[in-house]
Amino acid sequence: MAEKLALVGIGKIARDQHIPAINANPDWSLAAAVSRHAGVDGIDHFQDIDALLENRPDITVVSLAIPPQPRFDYAAKALRAGKHVMLEKPPGQSLAECFTLEQMAKEHGVTLFATWHSRHADNVPALKAFLAERTLKRLKITWKEDVRRWHPGQEWIWEPGGMGVFDPGINALSILTEILPYPVHLTGATLEFPENRATPIAANLDFADPTGAEMSAVFDWRQEGPQTWDIDIETDRGCAKLSLGGERLEIEGAPATQGANHEYANLYARMAELVKTGRSDVDLSPMIHVCDAFSLGRRLTTDAFHF
């Protein structure tokens, strides 16, 4: 029998990704939506999480596709009510919030899934397998996109907790922490803050690799035209390039392997597996790198940003 699921937050990412993935998976039944401004045809609509929990006790799973700032309160209420919870990335606005939610899920015997959709891109597993058999020499992340295209008018991303350019940048970090056979740590960063904003619009990161490889990342939210989501890799036995955020992979000069956009379908398949087996999945390693960037980063002021 399909699990009854409530989707909280009916914005662009919910309509583009969450709803199609839920409806395509027989393990799920989209039973309710929670949003102050929008609903989904054919299902119950509630203004807040309290109304959902009061009126639909039959719903067993809550998926949160809202900005990180209010997410903790919503997740905590759902966990306390005995609901399984799925968190859109980033899982919270602070590590402490995430640790608290993880402990709450254990105490209430329910599943908590901190999702990283870019890890589930089609060609990430192949790149992970490639690196497992080689010695890394150089890794360069280039993640540049147009904030006006992907977050039109969304002021929350520029507020504390919204993460600024790390909202997309954390996708690259989720791939990095998945494909490497060992952990790495940040050694330094420069963060460019628009003079009228509280979060950065660009960032340059440097990492320490235990094998001595050169490793860095460039994030920028000012790129117009074609968008860039690339990871370039050099090893002792050939090179690889992951592009389109993980949909395309070229290894050792071979023609690129082209995937499709299955990330959210894979997320909901993973959530179904976790619920069935009574487990949680809360890997916070990508967010640790972001927090370290804010801690170690040198702040630079750049031109004001306006939508």
Side-chain angles (χ1 to χ4, degrees), residues 41-219:
D41 291 343
I43 63 173
D44 284 347
H45 173 241
F46 300 97
Q47 290 289 316
D48 55 46
I49 188 72
D50 295 315
L52 169 74
L53 296 174
E54 180 180 353
N55 291 281
R56 290 299 303 269
D58 57 316
I59 287 175
T60 57
V61 179
V62 175
S63 180
L64 298 177
I66 54 177
Q69 291 95 331
R71 197 173 299 158
F72 175 83
D73 288 339
Y74 275 65
K77 288 178 178 179
L79 292 171
R80 292 191 189 104
K83 311 301 181 185
H84 307 293
V85 173
M86 180 170 167
L87 302 170
E88 174 64 271
K89 64 85 190 175
Q93 63 175 345
S94 74
L95 285 172
E97 286 185 351
C98 299
F99 290 135
T100 299
L101 292 177
E102 185 176 20
Q103 183 59 38
M104 289 179 64
K106 292 178 181 178
E107 292 173 354
H108 291 277
V110 292
T111 292
L112 179 66
F113 183 21
T115 71
W116 303 106
H117 64 81
S118 290
R119 280 186 177 176
H120 293 267
D122 281 355
N123 282 301
V124 170
L127 182 56
K128 181 176 182 178
F130 172 84
L131 284 174
E133 299 176 347
R134 290 163 174 82
T135 300
L136 182 64
K137 298 297 184 184
R138 185 182 68 88
L139 185 149
K140 174 65 177 294
I141 295 171
T142 307
W143 224 256
K144 298 181 178 182
E145 60 182 57
D146 184 353
V147 63
R148 291 183 175 91
R149 180 188 301 189
W150 302 103
H151 293 276
Q154 295 180 21
E155 295 290 345
W156 62 265
I157 55 176
W158 300 111
E159 295 299 322
M163 296 193 178
V165 75
F166 287 103
D167 178 80
I170 205 168
N171 296 333
L173 297 174
S174 74
I175 296 176
L176 176 72
T177 51
E178 175 67 15
I179 62 176
L180 292 178
Y182 45 74
V184 297
H185 67 273
L186 200 74
T187 57
T190 58
L191 311 179
E192 294 185 45
F193 286 74
E195 63 182 8
N196 62 332
R197 300 293 181 175
T199 56
I201 198 169
N204 290 270
L205 311 180
D206 293 307
F207 297 87
D209 180 285
T211 68
E214 176 186 341
M215 190 176 299
S216 61
V218 176
F219 303 150

Side-chain angles (χ1 to χ4, degrees), residues 10-23:
I10 309 300
K12 177 176 171 53
I13 191 65
R15 296 194 183 278
D16 290 350
Q17 300 290 350
H18 287 264
I19 293 173
I22 295 165
N23 289 337

